[in-house]
Amino acid sequence: MLEKETGRRKPTGFPHGLVIATAITWALFQLWIISPWPTTLGFGVFNDTATRALHLSFAVFLAYLSFPMFRGSPVERIPLHDWLSALTAAFCACYLFIFQDGLSRRPGIPNAFDVAVSVCGVVFLLEATRRVMGLPMVVVAALFLVYVFLGPHFPGLVSHRGASLSRAASQFWLTQEGVFGVPLGVSTSFVFLYVLFGAMLENAGAGNYLTALSFSILGRLRGGPAKAAVVASGLHGLISGSSIANVLTCGPVTIFLMKKAGFSAEKAGAVEVAAGSNGQIMPPVMGAAAFLMAEYTAVPYSEIVKHAFVPALLAYFSLLYIVHIEAVKLGMEGIERPEGSLWGKIIRGGLIFSSAAVIICLLYYFLAWIPLVFGSYSWLVFGAFLVSSYAVLLFLSFKFPELPEDDADALTRLHKVTPVLFSGLYYLLPTATLVWGLMIMEMSPGLAAYYACLLMVLIILTKRPFIAWKNRYRIGPALQNSASRLLLSLVNGSKNMVGIALATATAGIVVGTVSLTGVGQVLASLVELISGGFLPAVLALTALLAIILGMGLPTTANYIIVSTLLAPVIYNISAAHGLDIPLLAVHLFCLYFGVMADATPPVALAAFAASGISGGNPFKTGVQGFVYELRTAVLPFVFLYNQEILLFNIQSWPHFFWVLISSMLACLAFASATQGWFVVKNLRRETLLLLLSMIFLFRPDIPRDLLFPPYQELPPERVLSGVASLAPDDPIRLHLKTEFYDGRIKDQVVVLPFKGTEAEERLLSAGVTLAWEGDALMVDDVALNSRLEILGVNMDDPTWVLGLEVARGQPAKWIFGLPGLFFLALVALFQRRRRDRGEGSLAA
């Protein structure tokens, strides 16, 4: 599986050197175009078309040289046909760069050679994708291509007028509407440097450090190895953003220790599958999909990181609790019983945690203070701070033994947290640089990653020479070793990017088809017809489609397709039901179920990777991993309706802590209900109480809205005065009835954002004009491309305004979460009594 990620062919001699040189050149090219140096020096400046073309050229060239055509193809040499394919594919991808002047003079009117290059480019791209990503991705793209050309022959609802070869060539290859569109642009501008950043951290030893730190903190607890596996995978998710990479990186150590502690091969693999899969939803990296999300939703990446943090924290917290339940069931103990009293350990742990929290807060405010004082020179001050901090932490690490690499047995001997913590604390500085750039300086994601990579270059090049100097070894071999590690990081980063670049390019075919044929509107009508306009049914269909597609597609490609096709449908149907759901929440919903696919049988790629390490049955590992991942499947349905979990509409710090604690307890209740265990084995009525507790804690708005309706409806004659009296943050909620030409009647509440102060001004800014026709208030005009038009309201069908919904006072939502606490306490009380009486064990 690891070879599948980075290339299974292992040539020697000149071909090997060429692959290495190409990979290094690609990495250096990506660092150059993201850095501020091209614009500063006025040299080597490339436009978006050029960078995307060159990015894809490197990817297809490496794909044909690194991945053989078939399983039986030679792996020690590169056949002639692969050399020709690599050069042809690279030329086709570079065509937009080489001939961009000529193409700009004939936009939309390609000549015969343009069309030929476009056809060859698509064919060679699909073949490269098949080699690297497998057949499913190619099949999906091919189906969309067939739909483009055979549109007139499809049934009425999904038919379209079709497209000529010339038109399709222009759409898919010669413009930025297809292969070279937004997905590939994000891969070029942002994703590469984050993958390179992860490769640098791994080669520097950060992955080993994070794993060892997790085991030193949690290894002593009941089921400690499994809990440490969860935390280690979460920390690895900070730097990799890939489920399979997480499993393959952490698995050899964590699965070994989980089996040693008493977990079966299947459960050990399943824990790693669930933990590794969730690495894709863990900020600040979150895989390639999060950067695409920033482009699609026009939300800054720093905001996406903020809103995605709590759900990711809940996912890992609930998995930790599931692991604890499994450990209790099996009667496990930790790696070694700690010495000292329980209260003493709790007090020490609390002091360490609180001290760390205070230090982090002080650092945050100090770093936020730098740009306020030093302005444009902030990066110099911050750079000096980073270099001095690195020097201090590196020399501090000399007092502690260096961690062994790739030695699972050694982890069982690392009992003290302090030596492990300080032996590699400087590894956290690059991540701090990333967060500082994104959250404080509000840099672009690519530029923030660029500075983080620069710091990683410094760490890789200086760490081992300083260690050699300290131990009075020869510095020359250490310098050579450091240089080799840096080059290996560049090579691994480029090889890891091949699949992502090809996936985003191929997904561009789907995006181009949607804009060329209008299939998005067709799909919206089809989904609405199947679901009857019932939002939960639409969400269930979207989740099912994401899981099915994800069985054959990587998460990034899956997210692109599902969000392109169905995110607008969910957003518009929710607006038609009067729900003001942020577009970002809808896109996170699509991402979460794309992640679920990696742990969903029968494919479950992460499960196959984990079972290869554990020696367990792949299908049983996948099924168990899917059961563990059910808590990840619940979260998207919850945060669409309760957006406080995404940190929308948080009013104060107490409000934030209530949302966080109540959500954690809700996750705990759900995990206990699905695992059949809380303090002891659940009775059926206790499982029911746990599920009720989860509902009250996750969705306290349900009982509140039943008892205290959130809106009152003003009659038509009071609509204008009601609109004028709305607060600036309140949307216009019009209750409309539309009678369509085919006799259908649609009754809906639409949510319309507005600007201005006067009623007419607000309605006009919302894209609607109202007028009285006799005793009825009617929609007189609808602005082009307004939300109302997207929801199906237009001038061809009469639409009556039945009223205006205005907010009414309601009690605080947290009050209605208190019954959830009561039910949870009640189950705990019942089960403790049964435990004290010796009941409730698995034997009972």
Side-chain angles (χ1 to χ4, degrees):
M1 188 67 67
L2 182 59
E3 292 175 344
K4 183 73 174 174
E5 289 275 309
T6 58
R8 292 186 289 117
R9 183 177 275 149
K10 304 297 180 185
T12 57
F14 172 75
H16 174 70
L18 181 62
V19 170
I20 297 298
T22 303
I24 293 173
T25 304
W26 189 12
L28 295 176
F29 168 74
Q30 294 290 156
L31 286 166
W32 173 259
I33 62 174
I34 297 300
S35 74
W37 296 115
T39 53
T40 302
L41 301 177
F43 169 77
V45 179
F46 298 90
N47 58 29
D48 287 345
T49 300
T51 56
R52 295 176 189 184
L54 291 170
H55 180 80
L56 184 58
S57 299
F58 280 113
V60 292
F61 188 77
L62 285 175
Y64 279 103
L65 296 187
S66 300
F67 292 83
M69 181 177 287
F70 302 111
R71 289 183 181 274
S73 299
V75 295
E76 70 284 350
R77 63 181 179 85
I78 302 175
L80 177 61
H81 61 81
D82 279 348
W83 283 108
L84 295 175
S85 298
L87 293 172
T88 305
F91 169 76
C92 291
C94 266
Y95 190 75
L96 273 73
F97 170 60
I98 299 172
F99 299 100
Q100 57 183 325
D101 291 337
L103 291 171
S104 64
R105 287 194 292 268
R106 52 179 187 273
I109 315 174
N111 58 33
F113 189 65
D114 294 338
V115 174
V117 169
S118 300
V119 172
C120 288
V122 170
V123 170
F124 279 100
L125 171 63
L126 293 179
E127 168 58 14
T129 304
R130 182 196 66 81
R131 295 187 181 199
V132 179
M133 309 304 300
L135 196 58
M137 183 80 193
V138 177
V139 171
V140 171
L143 289 175
F144 277 86
L145 287 174
V146 169
Y147 180 69
V148 168
F149 293 109
L150 300 183
H153 304 287
F154 278 80
L157 182 62
V158 295
S159 66
H160 64 93
R161 63 182 181 179
S164 65
L165 184 61
S166 175
R167 177 73 182 91
S170 179
Q171 177 78 10
F172 290 122
W173 200 261
L174 302 178
T175 68
Q176 293 187 3
E177 299 295 324
V179 169
F180 297 95
V182 170
L184 187 64
V186 171
S187 175
T188 305
S189 302
F190 305 146
V191 179
F192 191 102
L193 288 196
Y194 283 82
V195 173
L196 180 62
F197 177 62
M200 286 181 169
L201 278 170
E202 195 62 44
N203 278 285
N208 181 61
Y209 168 72
L210 295 175
T211 302
L213 182 62
S214 303
F215 275 91
S216 67
I217 295 173
L218 299 171
R220 301 183 180 94
L221 303 179
R222 187 189 294 267
K227 292 175 181 175
V230 173
V231 174
S233 292
L235 294 174
H236 276 268
L238 291 172
I239 60 176
S240 72
S242 167
S243 57
I244 296 176
N246 279 358
V247 170
L248 294 172
T249 303
C250 299
V253 174
T254 58
I255 291 175
F256 167 80
L257 287 173
M258 280 190 277
K259 290 175 65 177
K260 188 173 181 179
F263 279 84
S264 66
E266 286 74 20
K267 286 193 174 182
V271 170
E272 186 56 52
V273 166
S277 297
N278 286 159
Q280 296 177 94
I281 61 174
M282 190 68 184
V285 177
M286 297 176 64
F291 304 103
L292 288 160
M293 194 181 300
E295 292 292 314
Y296 289 154
T297 62
V299 175
Y301 185 73
S302 57
E303 287 294 305
I304 292 178
V305 169
K306 182 184 78 172
H307 293 304
F309 176 71
V310 171
L313 185 65
L314 295 177
Y316 275 103
F317 169 79
S318 54
L319 183 58
L320 276 173
Y321 183 68
I322 288 173
V323 165
H324 176 74
I325 291 174
E326 293 285 10
V328 172
K329 288 180 182 179
L330 296 172
M332 291 182 182
E333 301 294 340
I335 293 176
E336 178 187 346
R337 271 297 192 191
E339 299 176 0
S341 66
L342 175 63
W343 283 108
K345 293 193 292 290
I346 292 175
I347 292 173
R348 285 196 300 273
L351 289 174
I352 293 172
F353 177 80
S354 58
S355 300
V358 170
I359 292 172
I360 291 173
C361 288
L362 291 175
L363 278 175
Y364 174 82
Y365 286 111
F366 169 72
L367 296 177
W369 169 78
I370 290 176
L372 296 176
V373 175
F374 295 97
S376 59
Y377 296 97
S378 297
W379 65 276
L380 287 174
V381 177
F382 182 70
F385 171 75
L386 278 179
V387 172
S388 57
S389 298
Y390 167 61
V392 170
L393 292 176
L394 180 63
F395 279 96
L396 183 63
S397 69
F398 292 164
K399 298 181 179 180
F400 305 97
E402 188 176 6
L403 296 175
E405 296 187 11
D406 303 321
D407 184 2
D409 286 314
L411 290 177
T412 62
R413 300 191 295 273
L414 297 174
H415 300 299
K416 294 183 179 180
V417 176
T418 302
V420 180
L421 175 65
F422 285 102
S423 66
L425 199 56
Y426 50 85
Y427 286 126
L428 303 182
L429 291 175
T431 303
T433 303
L434 193 64
V435 174
W436 183 77
L438 289 173
M439 308 298 291
I440 297 178
M441 296 302 294
E442 297 184 352
M443 296 177 182
S444 69
L447 190 58
Y450 169 75
Y451 288 118
C453 286
L454 284 187
L455 182 58
M456 280 309 309
V457 170
L458 175 67
I459 291 175
I460 293 174
L461 291 179
T462 59
K463 170 191 166 184
R464 294 186 179 278
F466 271 116
I467 292 176
W469 170 77
K470 181 258 180 184
N471 293 323
R472 298 185 178 182
Y473 298 150
R474 292 176 58 195
I475 297 180
L479 284 170
Q480 185 177 2
N481 180 274
S482 298
S484 299
R485 285 176 177 262
L486 178 59
L487 293 178
L488 183 61
S489 300
L490 298 177
V491 172
N492 288 345
S494 295
K495 286 188 173 183
N496 292 340
M497 266 303 299
V498 171
I500 297 175
L502 294 178
T504 53
T506 306
I509 294 176
V510 177
V511 177
T513 302
V514 172
S515 60
L516 181 62
T517 64
V519 69
Q521 295 297 325
V522 172
L523 187 64
S525 302
L526 188 62
V527 169
E528 189 167 7
L529 180 65
I530 295 173
S531 64
F534 185 51
L535 183 58
V538 175
L539 296 177
L541 286 172
T542 303
L544 182 62
L545 176 65
I547 290 176
I548 292 174
L549 286 176
M551 291 179 183
L553 304 183
T555 302
T556 302
N558 186 2
Y559 165 74
I560 294 171
I561 294 172
V562 175
S563 63
T564 300
L565 296 177
L566 289 176
V569 178
I570 297 173
Y571 184 68
N572 293 330
I573 289 180
S574 65
H577 285 72
L579 296 174
D580 190 15
I581 298 178
L583 185 60
L584 174 60
V586 177
H587 278 258
L588 282 172
F589 181 92
C590 298
L591 173 62
Y592 266 62
F593 282 100
V595 170
M596 278 288 297
D598 281 346
T600 303
V603 179
L605 294 178
F608 277 92
S611 62
I613 298 170
S614 69
N617 182 285
F619 184 76
K620 290 182 179 179
T621 301
V623 170
Q624 188 65 58
F626 178 77
V627 172
Y628 290 157
E629 279 286 78
L630 284 176
R631 89 259 182 243
T632 306
V634 169
L635 280 172
F637 285 97
V638 173
F639 64 57
L640 275 186
Y641 291 95
N642 183 7
Q643 294 135 32
E644 291 177 346
I645 294 177
L646 296 176
L647 301 186
F648 286 105
N649 305 317
I650 297 296
Q651 306 298 327
S652 61
W653 280 106
H655 186 191
F656 166 76
F657 284 115
W658 164 254
V659 170
L660 182 63
I661 294 171
S662 62
S663 299
M664 284 185 168
L665 292 175
C667 288
L668 182 149
F670 179 75
S672 295
T674 54
Q675 295 299 309
W677 193 282
F678 189 37
V679 178
V680 291
K681 188 177 180 181
N682 295 342
L683 301 177
R684 289 183 180 178
R685 61 176 179 269
E686 292 170 343
T687 299
L688 178 60
L689 285 175
L690 288 170
L691 292 175
L692 284 174
S693 173
M694 179 200 72
I695 293 172
F696 275 92
L697 290 170
F698 263 148
R699 294 291 311 280
D701 55 303
I702 293 178
R704 184 186 69 172
D705 292 350
L706 287 173
L707 296 173
F708 303 92
Y711 301 101
Q712 62 175 344
E713 186 168 311
L714 302 180
E717 56 269 18
R718 294 183 57 190
V719 166
L720 293 179
S721 61
V723 169
S725 64
L726 290 174
D729 294 335
D730 291 337
I732 299 172
R733 301 176 59 89
L734 290 178
H735 184 186
L736 306 178
K737 183 179 76 171
T738 303
E739 185 175 336
F740 296 96
Y741 67 92
D742 57 3
R744 292 182 297 113
I745 295 178
K746 186 174 184 179
D747 192 304
Q748 61 181 337
V749 175
V750 297
V751 181
L752 307 174
F754 66 84
K755 297 178 182 178
T757 55
E758 301 296 329
E760 290 79 4
E761 182 185 7
R762 290 180 167 186
L763 289 169
L764 193 62
S765 69
V768 59
T769 302
L770 307 181
W772 287 94
E773 294 185 10
D775 294 334
L777 183 61
M778 307 287 292
V779 173
D780 186 55
D781 192 19
V782 177
L784 188 65
N785 295 326
S786 65
R787 178 180 286 193
L788 210 56
E789 186 190 47
I790 294 173
L791 295 176
V793 178
N794 54 62
M795 301 314 302
D796 297 332
D797 307 304
T799 300
W800 289 265
V801 180
L802 302 183
L804 174 73
E805 289 190 349
V806 295
R808 62 194 304 176
Q810 288 181 298
K813 190 161 60 173
W814 65 268
I815 296 174
F816 297 87
L818 296 179
L821 298 178
F822 173 75
F823 292 143
L824 195 62
L826 199 62
V827 173
L829 179 63
F830 290 158
Q831 294 204 357
R832 283 182 178 276
R833 289 180 176 177
R834 290 170 49 222
R835 183 193 62 183
D836 293 341
R837 294 196 300 265
E839 303 174 8
S841 66
L842 287 175

